[in-house]
Structure formats: C-alpha cells, structure tokens
Amino acid sequence: MQLCGLIFVLEECSYPVPLQDVSVEANIVDMIAETTVCQTYKNVEKNTIEAIYKFPLHEAAAVCGFEAEIDGKRKVKGIVKEAKQAAKEYDEAIQQGHGAYLLEEQFPDIFQCSIGNITADQTVVIRITYVTELKHDAETESIRFVFPTAIAPRYGSSDYTANDGKKLIPDKMSYTEKTDYYLKLAITCRMTSVIQSIESPSHHISTELNIDGSPNVSKITLAEQITHLEKDLILVVKSLGLDQPRAFVEYDSKTETNCVMLTLVPKFAVNEIKSELIFVIDRSGSMQGGPIKKASETLQLLLRSLPEDCLFNVVSFGSHFDSLFTKSQPYSEESFSKALKHAQEMDANYGGTEIYDPLKWTFENSKNDMPTSIFLLTDGQVYNVDQIVELIKSSEEKKKDDLRLFSIGIGDSVSHHLVESVSRAGKGYAQFVTNNERMDKKILGMLKNAIKPPIKDYNITWTNQILEDTSPVETNPVDKPTISFFSDNSTPPPNTQTIFTDMKIQQAPFLIPPIYPGARFIVYCILEKGVEPCKEIILSAISQDGPMKLSIPLDSVVLQGTKIHTLAARKLIQDLEEGTSFIHKHPRNKGKNISNSLICEQIVKSGVTYNLASKYTSFIAIDERGSELVSEAKILSSQRIVPVAAVRKSAPAFSMRQKSAMQPVSMTSRLNYFMAPSIGFGSSSARKDNSLVKESANFGSQIESHDVSNDSLPASVSLAASVKLKPPKIETLYSFLNFQSFDGSFLPSDKFYSWFDKNNFKDFESIGIENEKILCLALALAYLEIIMFDTFKEECEMCYVKAKKNLKKEVGGDEQNVNENLEKAREWVKKWADE
C-alpha cells in the first residue's frame, strides 16, 4: 500500500494527519509585532475526526484572537471564557454534533488547539492572532523578531494533571522526523525611521525595500519553499532611533481607558563594584556541536575580560553537576590559567538537563559579603520552570539586592520561557543566540552590567491626578473588638481582612524591572476611565553614585485600538501568575493572605476583559450545524494528534528520564498520541560562525601558532598580512588576546614580536620607547584601537581597559606619559598596517 501525505504509523496502524498547511502573516511596527498564524485542517478520512495540535509561541506573546473558517463559507469567532467552562462547552458541542474549536494554554510558551467534529472531506482554517514585544538585540543594536516553530524535548516529567477541567492531553510525546505540510510566510515592517538593514540568522529570506516609495517600510518572505519546519525563524531589523526614549498613549473605546507604553534602551554610566561572578554552563547532551563550542568560546572571552579584583567560579551541569573551585576564587594568574584550560576542554558530555540542583548549590555557596552575579548559559528545555523560578526568588530575597542572574539562551529552539523567567526572577535580563550567531558582544554587555551596583527605588510618574491608590498608606491598625482570654463563646470574630484589588492606575509590571544599559526597558500603565496621563512621563531611581532621572515627552498622537492594552494586560496576568502583582506586593496588602482562588479570579477577569488566552482562560468557538450534519457528526469520532517534527540536534545524549518522557501513549488508550509538528525552516544566510582557535597553552603563555582562519585568504598572503586585514576576523582577535595576562599586561616574547613581523625588541627602536614592557603594552593597545575597534570594540573593550590600566601603572600613574607612549605606538602601527 502506498501512503501519501503526512502520516504516523503506530502498532501497525497508519492515519493521515489532518494538518495540511501553515501560513504566517506578521506586522512589525517599531518594537511591537502582531502575528496571525493560519492552520488548515482537512479530514481525508471517511469518518468524523477530532484533530489535536500543539504549537509553540513566545512566552510573552499575548494571544488575543481565535477564529475558525469552515469550508471557506462561514466563519466562527472565538470568545474568551474561564478555561473549565470553555472545555465543558467544547465537550457539549461535540456530543451534540456541532463543530467546536478550542484554544488552551498548556505552558506560557505551548498552546493546544482542539478541532472537534471535522466531518469527512471538511476543511477548517484556524486563525490565531497574538501580539508581542520585540527584544533589543545587543549584538547588532537592532530589534529581534522571533517566530517560534519547534517544541523541543523537555527534560524530566511535567507536573500537569488532567483533573483541572481542561482538554489538555498528557505530556508524554513521540517525535517524527518528517513533516510534509508547507509554511507560507509574509512579514511587513513599518518603522518610524529609515530601515537600515534586515537580516535572518536562521533562514534564507527575500526582502523588498522601499514599499510604496517609503524607506521606512519593507516586506519579507522566505527565499525558498520550505517543506520541513525545524527551527525558529528569526529576523533582526535595524532602524534609526529605536533605542530612543519614547512614550505612547493608546485609547481603547471598548474599555474607555488610556494605556501608556514607556520604552527605551538606556545609556548611562556608574562606577564599578567588587563582585563575585559565577558562570553556570549547560553541558548536557543537547548542547553538543555548535552550542557547546559557542559556550566554550564565550567563557574564554569572559575569563579574559574579568576585572582584577573580582572572585569567580565555573559550574558545569547536566544530569549531574560540578564546580571548578569548591568556593569562588580571587582572579589571579593561577586561577585564570586553570579556568581557561577548563573552558578550552569543555564538552557536552553531562547527560540530561537538571538546572535546579546546580543553581541551588551556586546560591548556597555564594559569598555573603559582596554582590553576586550569576551567568546561566543553556539551551534549556525542562518541565520544572516554576520550581526553578521559586528557588531563584527565595535566594534573591535572602541576599536582597546583592544577587542577580543573567541568562543566555543558546540554539535554534531554546526555551524562551525558561530563559526569560529565570532572568526576570533573578533581576537580570536575557539574551538569545542561534547556532549561526556570535554572542560575544551580548554577554560582555552583561558582564559590564554585572560589575556595576544595582539601581534602586525606581518610580514612574504616570499622571498628575491625585488618586487614592497612590496616596500614603495608613499604618494605624483597624479598631477591632477586644477578645476575652476566658470566654464560653467558641465562635471566632468575623474575618475583616479585605484584599485591596481596585487600582486606578495599573502599572505592568507592578515592580519596575531593573534598568541596565543596552537592555530594552518597557513598562505599561492602564489608567482607569477618566484618568489622564502626564504630558511628560518621569522615570526616577537612586544609584550608588546619586539620584537618576529622565523625562520622556508623551507622544502627542493618541493611538486608537487595543494592541498596547493587550500587551499591558498580558504583563498584568504574568505578574499575577508569578506572585509579583500589585495584589501581592502593594503595601495595603502587606501581611494579608492572598488566596489562589482570588488570583484565578483576577486572571479570568483580565483575560475576559482583554480577550486573552491564559492559564485560566481559553478561546472557544462553536459552529452550530443543521440536523443533517449533526447526525453525521454524532457518529463516534476518532481523535488524531498532529505530530510535531523532532528538533534536530547533533547526537543528543538523552538520559533514561528523557527517554521515558517521550514514549508514545498506547493505542489502547483514547489518544493516538504524537508530539506536535514543529514549524521550522532551512539554512542560514548570516555570516558563518567560525570556530575559535583552540590553544593548548594556558592563557598568558606563548601561543604555538597563529591560526587566524586563513582558509578564505589567497595562498600568497603572509601571516603578518592576515593579522592586519580589515575588517578583521574574530579568530584573529582571540589569537591576539592569548598574549595578554590576567592583569592586562602583554609580556615581551618572540611570538608577540612575530605578530608584527619582527624578531625582537631591537626591531622596534624607531618607535622610541625604551622600556620593553611599556612597548608591548603600547603596541597591543594601538593594535586593538586601529585594527580591531571598528569591528570588535565591544568584544575587546574590557581587555583593552585592563591593558591601559596596566600601562598607567608601569609609567608610574602619569597620564601624560601614557598618552605619549600610546601616540608613538599608534603612529608605528598605522604605518605597519599600510605596508
């Protein structure tokens, strides 16, 4: 028998998969994107079926639209209801023979679509619309649009139970290597300023610029037909002015409310502080290949860039974990050399992905007498995100403002939910990098922020109107009747505890997130009907070096619609889910018991008001049918679970727990269980991620060779010519930094001199610097400035600063002497570079 289309064979039975087509339309406006995903289902069987499909979304996505189109003739618009009620109505509609369509959240980044009673030959198109913020990409100073397409295997077991009244199916999953339906993609960018570039580090794209003669508008499609969908689609869009402070106001005619959005990419400088820096590196099997190589390269650059007065440690984890040192060690030649060798020899051989225990150990063994910053590098796909987040919260509260966690997500299908959640709980921020991107600049930006003191006492002035919930909180206790110590009355007095829930200005998030240079900052505020925003929104805070303040004029054009309200409501719901909402944290509720039922009630209220899917709200759409179709549909339908393509990893090493989590459910059960197909794509057109030269010698010693990846150079080009090529290669920078010691010095050596095509110190007499150590430092600084800074300034800046401090020390602290020696070296390097 010949089988056509996407099918899955289980226990000698084969079933056609009803998902036929997936198309994506996205509109990007500055730092907000609205995306509509269309899924086309066709029942090619003779009997009525129910199709179940799981798909990923970004964890910050606000799912705000759900619609079903049946046979191209009629449309049914979904409405948001409490999740259990929506599931009940879905079941009832199926039992009565009607068409029923249900969208539920399983996790913040995974949704399930159930399409009930698809009759023979019937076609149903499901349209799902969501809006999301776009992250600032620190590597390229651009905005980053991500369309997640893959649900990767998750390590461990889910704590989801099927008794919550929802229709979610169990988490045991199997994967298919084949997905035959196609992806259609159309993205429109409309920016306030000129679009400078659009690139994709994940796929080949086709870009049409200057739409309708406007340099601010462009359209993007896939450059080739995609027949398999295996990794997230990423676009990086660069446009003028996206980092500037901006404040918008949107009016929603339905709720008659204003919502203000404040956004900026901060730029400011404060003094550094002595810190403990701990690098927690994922070395599980799924990191094998590109991800572990990238982690190794990045760790080496971080180690070279550490400040001299810090303490540091490296923790590796997988199914088990270990640390380089039993306790964090002072940064010295010895500790640095040991750590560098450790980083160079890293491999992805630690089994599965257990993040909780290594983080717990890290928190418990961190220093109590100085601030601690933790850097988590992972491709993490785990089920116990909530448990990990609670661990970070409790640890952060114990150390108050002296603990921060920054996270980097590595790979083509990283869990945004994990990476964003842990950094949010740890009061740091998150960045992401695919296997085809560099992350040196991103993580060095994190390092710069980690060694600076946290900003405190944030405040935003949204309105000049005096409101009750912004007034000082009364601290006097409420008068209550006196209770006798000896009374026959066994009835306790009435509970007069009232939870404050009526906020006239709803800031989202309620606790202003930490502000870091180079990391996009976004806060929303929904103002109650009748409350007007300020003409200038004022952001203020206190730093270790003094007060900080910024006034941002409110855009004079009032936007009409719901997009900003929707994003704000999604943040409000996230606050409620994570225990950081105004109900949890407002001074009026201090010491009060906040019940789960109240939180559920508030989430349902926000979900219904703003038409949002959430943990406690779902979209339901019913297609009421005539008697003939009802009779046909009432014949017992079969359930078909649409499979998701396996995420392609390089020789993943799964533990037994991982394997058990992916076993298919038996056909004897109600479900024919498959994992949802990934919407994924093809190869990358971005610059290639060349490997870092592996040096066998420890840092600070003489390197044995200068392999600077000359494979693209003509055979006649010499070593000296290759190291001064512009633009330079990152491998050239790495090789040159191998000459630098932990304290920033560049020690004299034949190998160092040969870099400049010279044999010894005497060959540099023309420069006019008599001290050999000072000569080497001045040459190194001049080389970094002239050859590297145009392309890799951020990547080598911290190493440069250390070298300059060392030079100042060598000349006795005389700034003029530093500048004179540097100028001599610059003149020589410029002539040498032009030879």
Side-chain angles (χ1 to χ4, degrees):
M1 177 177 66
Q2 185 176 14
L3 300 174
C4 301
L6 178 57
I7 57 94
F8 196 92
V9 178
L10 188 61
E11 295 187 3
E12 299 182 354
C13 297
S14 62
Y15 300 96
V17 173
L19 183 61
Q20 304 279 307
D21 183 72
V22 177
S23 64
V24 179
E25 292 184 7
N27 285 290
I28 298 173
V29 181
D30 290 339
M31 67 292 297
I32 295 176
E34 181 181 60
T35 304
T36 297
V37 182
C38 295
Q39 304 160 359
T40 301
Y41 299 86
K42 183 176 177 63
N43 181 7
V44 296
E45 300 184 53
K46 295 180 180 179
N47 299 321
T48 299
I49 64 169
E50 176 187 19
I52 307 292
Y53 175 53
K54 290 195 178 192
F55 59 96
L57 289 178
H58 194 285
E59 66 111 31
V63 180
C64 56
F66 183 69
E67 181 183 84
E69 180 180 315
I70 300 93
D71 286 329
K73 299 176 182 177
R74 58 190 184 280
K75 294 180 180 179
V76 184
K77 191 173 183 179
I79 58 175
V80 172
K81 294 192 176 183
E82 190 274 328
K84 292 180 183 178
Q85 180 63 30
K88 180 183 177 184
E89 292 183 16
Y90 175 84
D91 280 339
E92 290 174 351
I94 286 181
Q95 290 168 7
Q96 294 168 10
H98 298 301
Y101 316 100
L102 180 68
L103 180 69
E104 300 172 294
E105 177 188 303
Q106 180 165 353
F107 300 107
D109 58 344
I110 297 180
F111 286 75
Q112 176 179 303
C113 188
S114 303
I115 301 94
N117 284 344
I118 310 178
T119 57
D121 293 323
Q122 189 174 64
T123 298
V124 176
V125 178
I126 298 293
R127 291 186 179 88
I128 299 162
T129 300
Y130 64 91
V131 292
T132 187
E133 304 167 356
L134 300 181
K135 287 188 72 69
H136 177 73
D137 189 278
E139 191 76 19
T140 58
E141 300 297 329
S142 309
I143 54 107
R144 188 179 181 91
F145 171 83
V146 179
F147 178 64
T149 62
I151 304 176
R154 299 194 171 206
Y155 185 81
S157 301
S158 168
D159 58 1
Y160 171 74
T161 54
N163 62 0
D164 61 357
K166 296 166 80 170
K167 298 296 294 178
L168 298 174
I169 50 182
D171 294 319
K172 292 183 179 179
M173 298 176 178
S174 63
Y175 294 74
T176 177
E177 291 290 340
K178 182 182 181 185
T179 51
D180 286 347
Y181 50 87
Y182 294 92
L183 177 85
K184 298 173 184 175
L185 176 77
I187 299 175
T188 302
C189 283
R190 300 179 188 277
M191 313 305 279
T192 302
S193 300
V194 174
I195 296 174
Q196 295 172 298
S197 66
I198 300 176
E199 298 177 351
S200 173
S202 60
H203 295 86
H204 290 294
I205 58 170
S206 176
T207 303
E208 184 181 354
L209 301 173
N210 295 307
I211 302 299
D212 297 328
S214 172
N216 302 1
V217 184
S218 65
K219 291 186 177 180
I220 302 98
T221 57
L222 292 171
E224 55 189 5
Q225 189 176 48
I226 300 297
T227 58
H228 57 283
L229 311 172
E230 66 192 24
K231 60 182 177 179
D232 295 352
L233 169 71
I234 298 170
L235 287 182
V236 179
V237 182
K238 191 174 183 68
S239 178
L240 292 172
L242 284 177
D243 58 346
Q244 295 299 304
R246 301 171 74 181
F248 309 92
V249 61
E250 176 188 77
Y251 179 74
D252 182 352
S253 58
K254 179 184 174 183
T255 59
E256 298 183 271
T257 56
N258 288 312
C259 182
V260 180
M261 174 182 178
L262 170 65
T263 179
L264 71 148
V265 179
K267 296 177 181 178
F268 61 88
V270 291
N271 289 306
E272 297 177 2
I273 53 172
K274 184 177 181 179
S275 303
E276 177 186 35
L277 305 166
I278 305 176
F279 307 101
V280 183
I281 312 296
D282 186 347
R283 294 176 62 181
S284 62
S286 60
M287 287 282 289
Q288 204 158 47
I292 194 64
K293 178 167 151 298
K294 196 174 295 295
S296 170
E297 292 175 359
T298 301
L299 181 57
Q300 290 178 63
L301 184 58
L302 282 167
L303 292 169
R304 293 186 177 104
S305 304
L306 295 182
E308 288 183 70
D309 62 348
C310 77
L311 281 78
F312 78 103
N313 204 351
V314 179
V315 177
S316 300
F317 72 91
S319 297
H320 61 283
F321 72 92
D322 51 44
S323 61
L324 181 61
F325 308 113
T326 55
K327 294 281 186 180
S328 293
Q329 295 295 303
Y331 187 53
S332 66
E333 184 68 53
E334 181 183 356
S335 62
F336 171 72
S337 297
K338 183 176 181 180
L340 188 67
K341 186 174 186 294
H342 179 71
Q344 290 169 344
E345 295 173 352
M346 273 189 171
D347 200 0
N349 54 0
Y350 275 47
T353 310
E354 289 278 6
I355 297 178
Y356 183 91
D357 287 339
L359 281 180
K360 184 172 184 288
W361 182 92
T362 300
F363 295 142
E364 290 174 349
N365 288 274
S366 63
K367 303 287 289 184
N368 292 320
D369 57 350
M370 68 176 64
T372 300
S373 289
I374 296 167
F375 299 81
L376 175 66
L377 280 73
T378 182
D379 69 345
Q381 297 284 353
V382 296
Y383 277 115
N384 61 334
V385 176
D386 291 345
Q387 183 188 16
I388 295 167
V389 166
E390 285 305 313
L391 170 68
I392 297 169
K393 280 183 182 177
S394 63
S395 302
E396 196 276 332
E397 286 172 1
K398 288 176 185 175
K399 288 198 72 170
K400 301 191 182 298
D401 290 317
D402 283 341
L403 176 67
R404 289 177 287 179
L405 189 149
F406 302 86
S407 53
I408 287 273
I410 304 174
D412 294 328
S413 56
V414 65
S415 170
H416 283 71
H417 177 42
L418 169 71
V419 176
E420 293 279 10
S421 295
V422 297
S423 64
R424 198 161 50 240
K427 296 188 176 179
Y429 62 92
Q431 290 282 327
F432 296 86
V433 61
T434 68
N435 292 335
N436 295 314
E437 293 179 286
R438 299 215 63 85
M439 64 176 171
D440 316 271
K441 185 176 174 181
K442 292 178 182 179
I443 203 161
L444 284 175
M446 285 182 167
L447 177 60
K448 291 174 186 176
N449 288 327
I451 59 178
K452 293 173 182 175
I455 311 300
K456 302 178 182 180
D457 300 327
Y458 294 102
N459 184 66
I460 301 177
T461 303
W462 299 102
T463 178
N464 291 324
Q465 293 177 233
I466 299 175
L467 304 171
E468 182 184 350
D469 51 77
T470 61
S471 302
V473 179
E474 294 290 339
T475 56
N476 296 327
V478 177
D479 289 336
K480 295 182 179 180
T482 302
I483 303 170
S484 173
F485 283 109
F486 189 79
S487 172
D488 292 331
N489 185 5
S490 60
T491 304
N495 186 352
T496 58
Q497 185 183 70
T498 303
I499 307 298
F500 175 61
T501 60
D502 185 24
M503 287 282 285
K504 291 181 172 56
I505 60 170
Q506 297 189 73
Q507 181 174 282
F510 178 69
L511 301 178
I512 299 174
I515 300 177
Y516 294 101
R520 181 167 294 282
F521 174 80
I522 299 180
V523 180
Y524 305 90
C525 188
I526 299 177
L527 304 173
E528 191 179 72
K529 180 181 177 180
V531 178
E532 295 295 324
C534 300
K535 297 300 181 184
E536 279 193 339
I537 307 301
I538 300 173
L539 170 64
S540 61
I542 301 295
S543 75
Q544 181 177 277
D545 298 326
M548 304 179 70
K549 186 177 179 181
L550 179 67
S551 297
I552 304 100
L554 188 67
D555 197 284
S556 59
V557 178
V558 177
L559 305 173
Q560 303 291 321
T562 61
K563 288 185 180 64
I564 295 178
H565 279 78
T566 300
L567 288 168
R570 179 69 187 90
K571 286 288 185 185
L572 290 174
I573 290 174
Q574 188 178 73
D575 270 3
L576 288 162
E577 291 173 341
E578 296 183 351
T580 56
S581 71
F582 76 90
I583 292 177
H584 294 91
K585 299 297 182 180
H586 197 283
R588 294 179 187 273
N589 290 334
K590 187 175 182 180
K592 297 179 181 179
N593 179 41
I594 310 296
S595 66
N596 289 333
S597 60
L598 175 62
I599 297 306
C600 176
E601 176 188 316
Q602 292 295 314
I603 291 175
V604 171
K605 180 181 177 181
S606 293
V608 171
T609 301
Y610 296 101
N611 215 43
L612 284 171
S614 69
K615 183 178 181 179
Y616 298 114
T617 54
S618 302
F619 276 96
I620 176 72
I622 306 295
D623 175 27
E624 295 188 358
R625 296 170 173 171
S627 56
E628 183 178 338
L629 282 174
V630 165
S631 299
E632 180 184 346
K634 277 189 175 180
I635 301 171
L636 184 63
S637 65
S638 301
Q639 198 167 56
R640 299 287 178 258
I641 314 297
V642 179
V644 170
V647 176
R648 299 182 181 180
K649 300 278 187 183
S650 302
F654 294 121
S655 72
M656 289 303 294
R657 284 185 65 189
Q658 282 176 293
K659 291 179 180 176
S660 66
M662 297 192 296
Q663 293 298 317
V665 174
S666 169
M667 283 291 290
T668 57
S669 68
R670 180 175 177 234
L671 302 179
N672 314 320
Y673 202 118
F674 309 44
M675 160 105 180
S678 57
I679 311 171
F681 311 108
S683 62
S684 168
S685 60
R687 72 171 177 177
K688 296 186 186 278
D689 181 18
N690 297 312
S691 63
L692 170 64
V693 178
K694 297 278 187 178
E695 299 292 350
S696 59
N698 287 337
F699 185 84
S701 63
Q702 295 177 353
I703 59 174
E704 295 302 319
S705 65
H706 302 303
D707 181 356
V708 289
S709 297
N710 289 325
D711 51 318
S712 61
L713 300 174
S716 59
V717 177
S718 68
L719 172 64
S722 69
V723 301
K724 58 187 178 183
L725 276 181
K726 295 187 73 174
K729 292 191 173 186
I730 190 70
E731 292 79 16
T732 309
L733 172 63
Y734 286 160
S735 290
F736 184 71
L737 291 179
N738 275 319
F739 292 119
Q740 190 177 29
S741 296
F742 87 99
D743 62 355
S745 62
F746 282 79
L747 299 178
S749 69
D750 291 344
K751 291 292 185 181
F752 179 79
Y753 296 142
S754 69
W755 187 273
F756 298 97
D757 205 24
K758 302 296 180 183
N759 296 319
N760 53 52
F761 174 56
K762 291 182 179 180
D763 292 337
F764 295 92
E765 287 181 350
S766 61
I767 297 180
I769 299 177
E770 297 179 0
N771 183 297
E772 194 169 8
K773 281 187 178 181
I774 293 174
L775 169 72
C776 292
L777 276 164
L779 274 175
L781 288 165
Y783 177 79
L784 291 174
E785 286 179 15
I786 294 164
I787 303 297
M788 293 295 167
F789 267 24
D790 284 348
T791 309
F792 298 120
K793 182 176 181 179
E794 288 83 358
E795 286 85 342
C796 63
E797 187 174 14
M798 297 185 80
C799 295
Y800 176 90
V801 169
K802 283 205 295 185
K804 197 166 184 180
K805 284 182 180 178
N806 194 277
L807 175 59
K808 188 174 182 179
K809 181 181 176 182
E810 288 292 331
V811 300
D814 186 344
E815 192 69 40
Q816 183 178 348
N817 203 338
V818 169
N819 293 332
E820 288 174 357
N821 282 291
L822 263 179
E823 191 54 43
K824 291 176 182 177
R826 288 186 191 116
E827 289 180 11
W828 187 91
V829 171
K830 285 176 184 176
K831 292 177 182 177
W832 166 78
D834 291 336
E835 289 176 355

